[in-house]
Amino acid sequence: MSPQWFLDSYPVWGDTRYTPWIRKFGVFAGTALGIALVAALAAVVVRTRDAGRSWSYWFLVGALLVALGLSYSILFPVGVILVGARLLVMLVRSLRITHHVPVDEILGSAAVLIVSGLVVVMWVNIVTVDRVSTAIAFSSLYQMKVKAVASFVVLSPLLAGVAISGPVLFRRHAGPAAILLLVAAGCVVAHTIFDIRFRSNEYKYMFTAAVCLVPFASIAWGEIAGRIGRAAWPVFAVIILFLAGTAFRPMLESVAGVADRFPRVEVDEFTFRLAHGERYAAVAEAILNQSPVDSVLLTGSVDRDLVAVTQRPLYVPHDGR
């Protein structure tokens, strides 16, 4: 059994779409907005000291949930898990300390989840009205095993931070720490057991798991930096280059003229066009100028964004057939 065979058969180093993390933030896509909304919601939800008694607080939570569901619906379940984890932590804490049920927490959580859920369900039904295939399924047992190991491998630097700073944080801020760890665990479970088609979009839950674990790693690094003094900066730089260095490869190759991965475009007019001589440039020009505006493109898998350069909707049959 060769190492390459093992890597090909068991890709436990993670999906290249989220390893390294920073690469996703260098592309023009909506994922970064969804992750930012999850981070904002997490920052609000972990406020466990009397915040739940204010309806303005629940209005903010509901607004963030609706914004998340409308702008990036695939991450809306993470918002639900955040609110649910907060409710669970507050319920346990209230029963242990005061022996009373936190009615304000229950009513506030239920209100924001019901309202935001109804809005998101209506929105998803609208945008998927023409969908003809199943959007979500369970992963196979093999996929679950691989993704479970991959989750541990990819999150291991952040989990090391949890091991270092977790005990202190649980003594000082048990509620927020428990909420973040519960949500991170929920994201890993969702990434492991679900297959969101097409193709395997459950990888995005790894970003949200990282959002919840980053505070632990940041605090742990602060403790380490305080111990090693001036060596902290070069050590930090080495760690960043080791963990995220490959994210800068496309940029460096482009500057060095090694790679020719990105098509040349013309931006001197209002209409976005491929430059003359680029692959599909002539076809895109003909479609843009000579086809009806309500046309639908039917193609196989192509390496150009035909929607942007033709201003026509695109239909790609599953597996290019």
Side-chain angles (χ1 to χ4, degrees):
M1 183 176 68
S2 66
Q4 189 59 48
W5 177 88
F6 179 83
L7 293 177
D8 292 339
S9 302
Y10 300 94
V12 296
W13 304 109
D15 193 309
T16 56
R17 291 172 291 179
Y18 67 79
T19 51
W21 312 97
I22 196 172
R23 180 181 294 155
K24 195 66 175 181
F25 297 91
V27 298
F28 186 73
T31 308
L33 174 61
I35 296 171
L37 286 170
V38 169
L41 184 59
V44 173
V45 164
V46 295
R47 294 179 54 200
T48 57
R49 293 186 178 181
D50 300 326
R53 297 180 181 179
S54 169
W55 283 104
S56 60
Y57 171 84
W58 290 113
F59 178 82
L60 176 59
V61 172
L64 288 171
L65 274 173
V66 171
L68 178 61
L70 296 182
S71 62
Y72 214 73
S73 303
I74 194 173
L75 295 184
F76 179 73
V78 181
V80 174
I81 295 174
L82 273 164
V83 175
R86 175 195 164 86
L87 177 60
L88 176 62
V89 169
M90 297 300 290
L91 181 62
V92 171
R93 188 172 75 172
S94 181
L95 290 176
R96 288 182 58 187
I97 298 175
T98 66
H99 304 289
H100 289 92
V101 175
V103 178
D104 292 339
E105 287 287 338
I106 295 174
L107 292 178
S109 300
V112 297
L113 290 177
I114 291 172
V115 172
S116 63
L118 289 174
V119 172
V120 173
V121 166
M122 288 188 291
W123 171 246
V124 170
N125 283 336
I126 292 172
V127 298
T128 60
V129 65
D130 295 323
R131 190 177 184 107
V132 296
S133 60
T134 303
I136 186 170
F138 287 107
S139 301
S140 66
L141 182 59
Y142 164 78
Q143 290 173 323
M144 290 184 187
K145 292 178 180 178
V146 170
K147 289 193 289 185
V149 176
S151 299
F152 177 79
V153 171
V154 173
L155 293 173
S156 57
L158 301 179
L159 292 175
V162 174
I164 295 172
S165 63
V168 175
L169 286 177
F170 265 96
R171 285 196 297 270
R172 297 178 180 177
H173 307 286
I179 291 172
L180 292 176
L181 289 180
L182 284 172
V183 177
C187 293
V188 170
V189 170
H191 168 258
T192 301
I193 67 175
F194 292 119
D195 177 14
I196 302 178
R197 302 166 179 175
F198 289 98
R199 73 176 173 87
S200 301
N201 278 302
E202 69 277 1
Y203 79 91
K204 295 172 183 178
Y205 294 130
M206 293 299 290
F207 286 110
T208 53
V211 165
C212 296
L213 296 179
V214 158
F216 296 91
S218 299
I219 294 172
W221 172 249
E223 296 178 4
I224 295 173
R227 295 177 183 177
I228 62 179
R230 295 181 178 179
W233 283 107
V235 171
F236 181 72
V238 170
I239 292 174
I240 292 299
L241 289 175
F242 175 74
L243 295 177
T246 57
F248 302 101
R249 179 179 174 182
M251 180 180 65
L252 296 175
E253 288 180 343
S254 178
V255 172
V258 176
D260 188 22
R261 297 173 55 245
F262 305 108
R264 293 174 295 112
V265 296
E266 295 179 357
V267 293
D268 53 345
E269 299 180 15
F270 180 78
T271 305
F272 189 72
R273 302 171 184 266
L274 289 170
H276 292 292
E278 283 290 331
R279 190 185 313 162
Y280 305 118
V283 174
E285 188 80 11
I287 294 172
L288 180 64
N289 296 324
Q290 300 177 28
S291 68
V293 294
D294 57 352
S295 301
V296 176
L297 302 182
L298 178 62
T299 87
S301 179
V302 296
D303 60 353
R304 295 291 185 266
D305 187 353
L306 295 183
V307 174
V309 296
T310 64
Q311 299 181 19
R312 303 291 189 271
L314 178 66
Y315 177 77
V316 179
H318 178 45
D319 292 337
R321 295 194 293 268

